[in-house]
Amino acid sequence: MNKWMEKHVLPIAVKLSNNVVLKSMRDGFLIITPLIIVTSIFLLLGNFPIPHWEEFWTGVFGKGWIDWFTAVSNAVFSFTGMLSSLAVAYAYAKNRGVDAIQGAIVALVSFFILTPTTMVVGKKTISAVNTTFVGPNGIFLGLVIAFVSVEVYRFAVKRHWEIKMPDGVPPAVTASFSALIPSACVILVFFFVRLIFTFTSFGTAYQFIYSILQAPLKDVGNSLPSVLLYNTLSSLLWFFGINGPAVVNSVWSPIFFVLTQDNLHAFQQHQVLPHIYTQQFIDMFTTFGGGGSTLSLLIVILFFCKSKRMRELAKLALVPGIFGINEPIIFGLPVVLNPVIAVPFIITPVLNTLIAGLCFTWGWIPYTNGVNLPWTTPIGFSGWLTTGSWRGVVLQFILLILGCLIYYPFAKVQDQQYLESELKAQQA
C-alpha cells in the first residue's frame, strides 16, 4: 500500500503542493496557526471536562468567569473566515509578485463589502455584523475573495494603472498613490458583486453559498444512512475550509435534539431507551479528537512519522485533540484542501459511524442515555458516561485504533513529502 501510494499519489501531491493557489492557502493558514493553537488552550480551560468544573470556579470567581476565556478564544474562532481571507490574500499576493500588504488589505475590505451589515432582532432591524459570516462559515467565501481581489489588483498593476508621482516624493507616498487605482478596481468589482446579489432571491453572497450547500441536505431522517450522510458532508465541507457541522446542523440538529431528549426522558423514567442516533452518538462514537477523527492521525504522526514539521505540530495539537479541539491540525498540517489527507479524513468518520451504528443496532452496546456531556469530554470517559457500560469504552478504542490503520499510509505519504522539503531546505 505504501509503495502504491508513493508511486501514484505522491507525484500528484507534489504537483498540487507547487500550485500557487494551493501553496498560498497553505502559507496563509500557517500564518494564523499560532493564534489558533494559543486560543485553543483558553477554549479548553473554559470547557474542561470535569464534573462541576464550572460550578467550582463560579464559587471562587463569581458568575461570568468563563467569559474571560471565551473572549480570548472567540477573538480567533469567531473570525476565522476574515483572518483566513486576510492571511491567504497576503500569501497569494506575495507569491504573485505584488505588494503583499496592499493585497491583504484590499481583500479584507472586499470581505467586509460582501458581509451583511444588518441583523433582525425581534421586529427591529439593527446595524451589526453577525459573526456567522466572519467565522468558520465564512472561510470558503473568504478564500474566493482573497484570490479574486488579488488577481484584480494584479491585473491593474501589470497594466500600470497607477498615479505616478514626481521624483523627490517620499517612497511611502509614491507607493500609496501607485496602489490607489488598483485598489479602486478591486473595490468596484466587489461593489457590483454585492449589488447584483441584492437583486436576487439570495440577497447576499453568503446566503447564496448557504442555499447551494443546504438544499441537498433537506428531507433527511433518523437512520444510519442519514448519519452516514451527515458525517460525509461534515468532513467534505471541512476539507474545503467550511465548518461542516455548523452548516449541516441547521438541518440535523432539530432531529438529534428530539431524539436525545426522548432518550433522556426514558433514562430518567428507567424505561427502555428508544433511539440510537442521538447527539451523543454523533459526538462520542463517530469522531475522536474533532472532525475527521483526527486523534488517530495525531497518534500516527507521533509514533510513525519523521518530519519535524509534522511531529512538532502533533506535539502541540495532541492535548487539544484529546479534548476534541482539532483546529491546530486542520489548519496547521493542513487538512484543508490537502488531497493526501482528505481521503482518510472523510473515510474514517464514515467507517466509525457504520461500525458503531451496527454495534448499537445488534445490541452489543447500550444506547446513549441522552445526558448532555461537554463536547470536550475525552475518549474513554465519554463512552462510559454516555452508555454506562465498559463496552462503550472498548468500542471507542477499537474505532480509534482502526482510524490509525486508515490514516497510516496517507500520513506516511505526507511525511515523505515534508521530509524531502525539509532536506532541500537544509541543503540550501
Side-chain angles (χ1 to χ4, degrees), residues 259-275:
L259 298 176
T260 302
Q261 293 303 306
D262 287 347
N263 276 25
L264 180 60
H265 178 74
F267 179 72
Q268 292 172 329
Q269 300 298 321
H270 303 287
Q271 299 172 351
V272 176
L273 303 178
H275 305 302

PDB file of all heavy atoms in Angstrom, residues 259-275:
ATOM      1  N   LEU A 259     -34.449  13.383  19.427  1.00  0.00           N
ATOM      2  CA  LEU A 259     -34.062  12.002  19.734  1.00  0.00           C
ATOM      3  C   LEU A 259     -33.319  11.931  21.061  1.00  0.00           C
ATOM      4  O   LEU A 259     -33.526  11.000  21.858  1.00  0.00           O
ATOM      5  CB  LEU A 259     -33.186  11.446  18.609  1.00  0.00           C
ATOM      6  CG  LEU A 259     -33.827  11.361  17.219  1.00  0.00           C
ATOM      7  CD1 LEU A 259     -32.807  10.895  16.190  1.00  0.00           C
ATOM      8  CD2 LEU A 259     -35.023  10.431  17.243  1.00  0.00           C
ATOM      9  N   THR A 260     -32.446  12.898  21.303  1.00  0.00           N
ATOM     10  CA  THR A 260     -31.683  12.924  22.556  1.00  0.00           C
ATOM     11  C   THR A 260     -32.608  13.139  23.744  1.00  0.00           C
ATOM     12  O   THR A 260     -32.457  12.484  24.787  1.00  0.00           O
ATOM     13  CB  THR A 260     -30.612  14.028  22.501  1.00  0.00           C
ATOM     14  OG1 THR A 260     -29.744  13.796  21.389  1.00  0.00           O
ATOM     15  CG2 THR A 260     -29.788  14.049  23.768  1.00  0.00           C
ATOM     16  N   GLN A 261     -33.562  14.048  23.602  1.00  0.00           N
ATOM     17  CA  GLN A 261     -34.492  14.312  24.696  1.00  0.00           C
ATOM     18  C   GLN A 261     -35.380  13.094  24.981  1.00  0.00           C
ATOM     19  O   GLN A 261     -35.709  12.817  26.148  1.00  0.00           O
ATOM     20  CB  GLN A 261     -35.360  15.533  24.372  1.00  0.00           C
ATOM     21  CG  GLN A 261     -34.588  16.848  24.318  1.00  0.00           C
ATOM     22  CD  GLN A 261     -33.845  17.129  25.620  1.00  0.00           C
ATOM     23  OE1 GLN A 261     -34.440  17.118  26.697  1.00  0.00           O
ATOM     24  NE2 GLN A 261     -32.550  17.368  25.528  1.00  0.00           N
ATOM     25  N   ASP A 262     -35.745  12.368  23.943  1.00  0.00           N
ATOM     26  CA  ASP A 262     -36.524  11.135  24.150  1.00  0.00           C
ATOM     27  C   ASP A 262     -35.734  10.137  24.976  1.00  0.00           C
ATOM     28  O   ASP A 262     -36.269   9.513  25.908  1.00  0.00           O
ATOM     29  CB  ASP A 262     -36.906  10.510  22.806  1.00  0.00           C
ATOM     30  CG  ASP A 262     -37.999  11.286  22.091  1.00  0.00           C
ATOM     31  OD1 ASP A 262     -38.632  12.145  22.736  1.00  0.00           O
ATOM     32  OD2 ASP A 262     -38.209  11.036  20.886  1.00  0.00           O
ATOM     33  N   ASN A 263     -34.477   9.950  24.653  1.00  0.00           N
ATOM     34  CA  ASN A 263     -33.640   9.019  25.406  1.00  0.00           C
ATOM     35  C   ASN A 263     -33.420   9.483  26.833  1.00  0.00           C
ATOM     36  O   ASN A 263     -33.407   8.669  27.775  1.00  0.00           O
ATOM     37  CB  ASN A 263     -32.288   8.838  24.709  1.00  0.00           C
ATOM     38  CG  ASN A 263     -32.330   7.801  23.612  1.00  0.00           C
ATOM     39  OD1 ASN A 263     -33.384   7.532  23.044  1.00  0.00           O
ATOM     40  ND2 ASN A 263     -31.193   7.213  23.275  1.00  0.00           N
ATOM     41  N   LEU A 264     -33.242  10.798  27.021  1.00  0.00           N
ATOM     42  CA  LEU A 264     -33.035  11.327  28.361  1.00  0.00           C
ATOM     43  C   LEU A 264     -34.274  11.112  29.221  1.00  0.00           C
ATOM     44  O   LEU A 264     -34.175  10.708  30.392  1.00  0.00           O
ATOM     45  CB  LEU A 264     -32.695  12.820  28.291  1.00  0.00           C
ATOM     46  CG  LEU A 264     -32.452  13.528  29.630  1.00  0.00           C
ATOM     47  CD1 LEU A 264     -31.296  12.881  30.376  1.00  0.00           C
ATOM     48  CD2 LEU A 264     -32.188  15.015  29.408  1.00  0.00           C
ATOM     49  N   HIS A 265     -35.443  11.363  28.644  1.00  0.00           N
ATOM     50  CA  HIS A 265     -36.692  11.149  29.390  1.00  0.00           C
ATOM     51  C   HIS A 265     -36.852   9.677  29.766  1.00  0.00           C
ATOM     52  O   HIS A 265     -37.226   9.353  30.906  1.00  0.00           O
ATOM     53  CB  HIS A 265     -37.879  11.610  28.546  1.00  0.00           C
ATOM     54  CG  HIS A 265     -39.206  11.394  29.202  1.00  0.00           C
ATOM     55  ND1 HIS A 265     -39.657  12.183  30.248  1.00  0.00           N
ATOM     56  CD2 HIS A 265     -40.191  10.472  28.973  1.00  0.00           C
ATOM     57  CE1 HIS A 265     -40.842  11.771  30.633  1.00  0.00           C
ATOM     58  NE2 HIS A 265     -41.190  10.726  29.874  1.00  0.00           N
ATOM     59  N   ALA A 266     -36.576   8.785  28.825  1.00  0.00           N
ATOM     60  CA  ALA A 266     -36.675   7.350  29.115  1.00  0.00           C
ATOM     61  C   ALA A 266     -35.662   6.938  30.174  1.00  0.00           C
ATOM     62  O   ALA A 266     -35.966   6.108  31.048  1.00  0.00           O
ATOM     63  CB  ALA A 266     -36.465   6.552  27.834  1.00  0.00           C
ATOM     64  N   PHE A 267     -34.477   7.503  30.121  1.00  0.00           N
ATOM     65  CA  PHE A 267     -33.441   7.183  31.107  1.00  0.00           C
ATOM     66  C   PHE A 267     -33.861   7.631  32.504  1.00  0.00           C
ATOM     67  O   PHE A 267     -33.660   6.904  33.491  1.00  0.00           O
ATOM     68  CB  PHE A 267     -32.131   7.867  30.693  1.00  0.00           C
ATOM     69  CG  PHE A 267     -30.991   7.650  31.640  1.00  0.00           C
ATOM     70  CD1 PHE A 267     -30.366   6.410  31.731  1.00  0.00           C
ATOM     71  CD2 PHE A 267     -30.522   8.681  32.441  1.00  0.00           C
ATOM     72  CE1 PHE A 267     -29.301   6.217  32.601  1.00  0.00           C
ATOM     73  CE2 PHE A 267     -29.472   8.497  33.307  1.00  0.00           C
ATOM     74  CZ  PHE A 267     -28.853   7.264  33.388  1.00  0.00           C
ATOM     75  N   GLN A 268     -34.457   8.811  32.599  1.00  0.00           N
ATOM     76  CA  GLN A 268     -34.916   9.319  33.891  1.00  0.00           C
ATOM     77  C   GLN A 268     -36.054   8.475  34.457  1.00  0.00           C
ATOM     78  O   GLN A 268     -36.165   8.309  35.667  1.00  0.00           O
ATOM     79  CB  GLN A 268     -35.370  10.784  33.745  1.00  0.00           C
ATOM     80  CG  GLN A 268     -34.229  11.752  33.449  1.00  0.00           C
ATOM     81  CD  GLN A 268     -34.714  13.143  33.126  1.00  0.00           C
ATOM     82  OE1 GLN A 268     -35.801  13.326  32.571  1.00  0.00           O
ATOM     83  NE2 GLN A 268     -33.930  14.156  33.452  1.00  0.00           N
ATOM     84  N   GLN A 269     -36.874   7.915  33.560  1.00  0.00           N
ATOM     85  CA  GLN A 269     -38.018   7.101  33.984  1.00  0.00           C
ATOM     86  C   GLN A 269     -37.669   5.613  34.083  1.00  0.00           C
ATOM     87  O   GLN A 269     -38.548   4.801  34.344  1.00  0.00           O
ATOM     88  CB  GLN A 269     -39.174   7.287  32.980  1.00  0.00           C
ATOM     89  CG  GLN A 269     -39.663   8.715  32.843  1.00  0.00           C
ATOM     90  CD  GLN A 269     -40.228   9.260  34.140  1.00  0.00           C
ATOM     91  OE1 GLN A 269     -40.910   8.551  34.887  1.00  0.00           O
ATOM     92  NE2 GLN A 269     -39.945  10.541  34.427  1.00  0.00           N
ATOM     93  N   HIS A 270     -36.371   5.286  33.884  1.00  0.00           N
ATOM     94  CA  HIS A 270     -35.901   3.899  33.942  1.00  0.00           C
ATOM     95  C   HIS A 270     -36.642   3.028  32.925  1.00  0.00           C
ATOM     96  O   HIS A 270     -36.962   1.872  33.202  1.00  0.00           O
ATOM     97  CB  HIS A 270     -36.063   3.329  35.353  1.00  0.00           C
ATOM     98  CG  HIS A 270     -35.342   4.138  36.391  1.00  0.00           C
ATOM     99  ND1 HIS A 270     -33.977   4.131  36.532  1.00  0.00           N
ATOM    100  CD2 HIS A 270     -35.829   4.994  37.347  1.00  0.00           C
ATOM    101  CE1 HIS A 270     -33.632   4.944  37.536  1.00  0.00           C
ATOM    102  NE2 HIS A 270     -34.738   5.479  38.044  1.00  0.00           N
ATOM    103  N   GLN A 271     -36.880   3.602  31.762  1.00  0.00           N
ATOM    104  CA  GLN A 271     -37.529   2.874  30.680  1.00  0.00           C
ATOM    105  C   GLN A 271     -36.498   2.468  29.627  1.00  0.00           C
ATOM    106  O   GLN A 271     -35.334   2.873  29.680  1.00  0.00           O
ATOM    107  CB  GLN A 271     -38.617   3.754  30.043  1.00  0.00           C
ATOM    108  CG  GLN A 271     -39.734   4.161  31.001  1.00  0.00           C
ATOM    109  CD  GLN A 271     -40.693   5.175  30.394  1.00  0.00           C
ATOM    110  OE1 GLN A 271     -40.437   5.695  29.308  1.00  0.00           O
ATOM    111  NE2 GLN A 271     -41.781   5.462  31.094  1.00  0.00           N
ATOM    112  N   VAL A 272     -36.923   1.681  28.664  1.00  0.00           N
ATOM    113  CA  VAL A 272     -36.042   1.253  27.583  1.00  0.00           C
ATOM    114  C   VAL A 272     -35.714   2.472  26.706  1.00  0.00           C
ATOM    115  O   VAL A 272     -36.615   3.207  26.295  1.00  0.00           O
ATOM    116  CB  VAL A 272     -36.707   0.155  26.732  1.00  0.00           C
ATOM    117  CG1 VAL A 272     -35.793  -0.212  25.550  1.00  0.00           C
ATOM    118  CG2 VAL A 272     -37.000  -1.067  27.586  1.00  0.00           C
ATOM    119  N   LEU A 273     -34.432   2.656  26.422  1.00  0.00           N
ATOM    120  CA  LEU A 273     -34.017   3.787  25.592  1.00  0.00           C
ATOM    121  C   LEU A 273     -34.435   3.541  24.145  1.00  0.00           C
ATOM    122  O   LEU A 273     -34.119   2.490  23.580  1.00  0.00           O
ATOM    123  CB  LEU A 273     -32.500   3.983  25.678  1.00  0.00           C
ATOM    124  CG  LEU A 273     -31.947   4.206  27.099  1.00  0.00           C
ATOM    125  CD1 LEU A 273     -30.432   4.334  27.061  1.00  0.00           C
ATOM    126  CD2 LEU A 273     -32.573   5.440  27.740  1.00  0.00           C
ATOM    127  N   PRO A 274     -35.123   4.485  23.512  1.00  0.00           N
ATOM    128  CA  PRO A 274     -35.732   4.203  22.208  1.00  0.00           C
ATOM    129  C   PRO A 274     -34.845   4.411  20.988  1.00  0.00           C
ATOM    130  O   PRO A 274     -35.062   3.779  19.954  1.00  0.00           O
ATOM    131  CB  PRO A 274     -36.911   5.181  22.165  1.00  0.00           C
ATOM    132  CG  PRO A 274     -36.480   6.330  23.018  1.00  0.00           C
ATOM    133  CD  PRO A 274     -35.610   5.756  24.087  1.00  0.00           C
ATOM    134  N   HIS A 275     -33.843   5.308  21.055  1.00  0.00           N
ATOM    135  CA  HIS A 275     -33.145   5.712  19.837  1.00  0.00           C
ATOM    136  C   HIS A 275     -31.636   5.446  19.905  1.00  0.00           C
ATOM    137  O   HIS A 275     -31.031   5.522  20.973  1.00  0.00           O
ATOM    138  CB  HIS A 275     -33.358   7.207  19.557  1.00  0.00           C
ATOM    139  CG  HIS A 275     -34.794   7.611  19.491  1.00  0.00           C
ATOM    140  ND1 HIS A 275     -35.683   7.058  18.604  1.00  0.00           N
ATOM    141  CD2 HIS A 275     -35.499   8.547  20.207  1.00  0.00           C
ATOM    142  CE1 HIS A 275     -36.881   7.619  18.767  1.00  0.00           C
ATOM    143  NE2 HIS A 275     -36.792   8.517  19.735  1.00  0.00           N
TER     144      HIS A 275
END
